[in-house]
Amino acid sequence: MTFGGLLLGVLSSAFGATFTVADFVHAFSSAPIERLPSSAIHLFPVLFMSLLTSAFGFSVGPEAPMVCAGALIGSSMSRIWYGTSGRHQEILSYAGAAGALTAFMGIPIAGSIFAIEMTRSNVGMNKASETSLSPSVISSIAAIVMIRGILTPGNHVGGHFSYGGHTIGALNGRAMIATAVACGAGGALLGTVFHKTVHKLKKVVWKPTVPTSPDRREKPWVRQIVVKTLVGLVVGIISTRYPQTLFWGEGSLQSAIDGQKTAMAATKHGLIEALTARAVIDPNAPFADGSAALRVGVAKMIAIMLACIGKFPGGIIFPLFFAAAPFAHVFPRVLGGEIVPVAVFCLMAATQASVTRTPLASVLILSLSASSETDLSVMLPASLVSSYLGVFFSRELSTKSYFSYNE
């Protein structure tokens, strides 16, 4: 991973500033909206850098780059068809982002809601939803038809993450609300610690140096290479002790959801023995106790923070889901076996929503990616409450957020 950090540092210096999801949020939370850059310049660096970041095992995923790529393509199509019209750029950029995110995750509609929710600092959708929601939904449906119906018609449809549906049927209303409120508060706390830590350390790591003389002015490429290489080194050291931190988490999320009852070796991100030989917590065995779950959750959260601090291109949807899930396994005896799956679902939704301000989309992503055995009639009410509470509580804990809004 040290080599991966070095390579990405060199490429970042060569490509210069690339379009990020933070730029997308800032542009579309502005009034009037800001113009997006040309896809001819930024599209390849966004996708290529994201591919390398994921391939080297850093804890940020391709979701955000997909949003950026779709928005850039939509914006470019708007310029070709409608010239400098800001309204058409907004509509087609949202549609492009929704279609790209749907194509990547294979989840319809959720991508549309996510893109429009993300550009508002509070719960609810950006005011652009009045004109952009319907085109975004159409784009999302078109993407799922293309992926499922034309490109991969033989693949099974439906989610695959199992929450142990047979264990949660006896949940009563009092337990559901208590779990939802507790997880909403817990997710807000996790999300607030995450974004405040990232922002504070970013200011330190990327603070411009004051040259003592014109001849000693720092070259921008030096900082990129040094920071990314050091982050790669530290993340690599962490991964030798906690291999659960490798990759962005979508492929191995089932292991985090069920407390490692599903061995990591049995997931898409299954690792060779050499990468797990020095593990503090065996990724192929269930959590022995709450302490083991806590340490895995903290380690994953740190790995995500480091990738964000180092400005590695990538998204945090599945990484945050993976980081939040182990925390729900910290107090299994207190919660009770029938509550733990609900707590996992709720805590993942609340943590994600508190960071990205996407409460409805977070629940939709989790629901549509859940297996058919998951009792969504139990999960949905609790997770909706916790997800929205996650945003409300996080705004009470901090006036700032992960993204910079220009409302």
Side-chain angles (χ1 to χ4, degrees):
M1 295 188 79
T2 305
F3 174 73
L6 173 61
L7 178 60
L8 285 160
V10 171
L11 290 174
S12 295
S13 303
F15 288 134
T18 57
F19 185 69
T20 67
V21 73
D23 298 323
F24 172 82
V25 171
H26 190 271
F28 286 98
S29 61
S30 301
I33 64 168
E34 298 175 0
R35 301 292 296 173
L36 297 193
S38 169
S39 61
I41 298 173
H42 288 271
L43 186 60
F44 175 75
V46 165
L47 295 177
F48 185 59
M49 293 280 284
S50 171
L51 175 64
L52 289 178
T53 299
S54 300
F56 278 106
F58 290 96
S59 287
V60 286
E63 313 98 324
M66 289 297 104
V67 170
C68 294
L72 287 170
I73 293 172
S75 177
S76 294
M77 292 173 66
S78 170
R79 280 193 286 267
I80 294 171
W81 293 343
Y82 302 106
T84 59
S85 169
R87 174 175 172 272
H88 287 99
Q89 178 199 238
E90 184 176 63
I91 292 172
L92 289 179
S93 294
Y94 274 123
L101 192 56
T102 298
F104 170 71
M105 295 195 298
I107 299 175
I109 310 303
S112 311
I113 305 297
F114 187 89
I116 297 177
E117 274 191 320
M118 183 170 58
T119 51
R120 182 176 176 179
S121 62
N122 202 347
V123 295
M125 296 188 191
N126 188 292
K127 62 182 180 180
S129 62
E130 295 178 7
T131 56
S132 299
L133 180 57
S134 292
S136 296
V137 169
I138 293 171
S139 175
S140 180
I141 293 172
I144 203 68
V145 168
M146 175 64 73
I147 296 296
R148 297 297 194 190
I150 298 175
L151 298 180
T152 60
N155 289 359
H156 294 292
V157 298
H160 57 280
F161 295 123
S162 173
Y163 294 83
H166 63 283
T167 66
I168 59 176
L171 187 68
N172 60 42
R174 185 183 297 106
M176 183 201 78
I177 295 301
T179 302
V181 173
C183 289
L189 180 60
L190 287 174
T192 302
V193 169
F194 170 79
H195 79 72
K196 288 183 77 69
T197 302
V198 169
H199 281 303
K200 286 184 178 181
L201 291 182
K202 264 187 176 180
K203 288 181 180 180
V204 174
V205 170
W206 298 99
K207 182 180 179 180
T209 58
V210 179
T212 55
S213 67
D215 297 335
R216 294 193 174 185
R217 184 172 298 168
E218 181 186 55
K219 296 178 176 62
W221 60 268
V222 173
R223 183 77 65 94
Q224 284 282 353
I225 293 175
V226 171
V227 169
K228 284 183 166 59
T229 302
L230 288 176
V231 168
L233 174 63
V234 175
V235 170
I237 293 171
I238 293 173
S239 70
T240 61
R241 308 299 286 168
Y242 294 94
Q244 296 91 335
T245 61
L246 285 168
F247 302 104
W248 69 94
E250 188 272 338
S252 54
L253 183 58
Q254 182 60 57
S255 180
I257 288 172
D258 61 20
Q260 295 190 171
K261 291 177 182 176
T262 298
M264 193 172 185
T267 67
K268 287 194 295 184
H269 285 168
L271 304 174
I272 61 174
E273 186 177 349
L275 294 176
T276 62
R278 300 179 62 191
V280 174
I281 310 296
D282 185 356
N284 299 315
F287 291 136
D289 50 32
S291 172
L294 178 63
R295 283 183 284 171
V296 169
V298 170
K300 184 64 175 179
M301 191 68 79
I302 291 173
I304 303 169
M305 288 177 182
L306 288 170
C308 293
I309 292 164
K311 297 184 179 180
F312 286 82
I316 54 175
I317 297 177
F318 283 104
L320 284 180
F321 285 159
F322 190 104
F327 285 95
H329 291 278
V330 173
F331 305 106
R333 293 183 180 177
V334 175
L335 293 174
E338 73 280 3
I339 301 292
V340 170
V342 182
V344 169
F345 201 99
C346 290
L347 191 59
M348 289 196 296
T351 304
Q352 181 67 234
S354 70
V355 175
T356 58
R357 301 295 194 255
T358 56
L360 180 56
S362 297
V363 173
L364 286 174
I365 291 171
L366 289 171
S367 299
L368 293 171
S369 62
S371 66
S372 58
E373 69 179 26
T374 300
D375 192 346
L376 291 179
S377 66
V378 176
M379 295 293 198
L380 272 174
S383 61
L384 283 168
V385 172
S386 63
S387 189
Y388 278 90
L389 285 178
V391 179
F392 290 134
F393 287 149
S394 66
R395 288 174 63 85
E396 293 298 318
L397 290 171
S398 174
T399 56
K400 296 184 178 180
S401 58
Y402 181 68
F403 295 119
S404 174
Y405 298 89
N406 192 25
E407 295 173 330

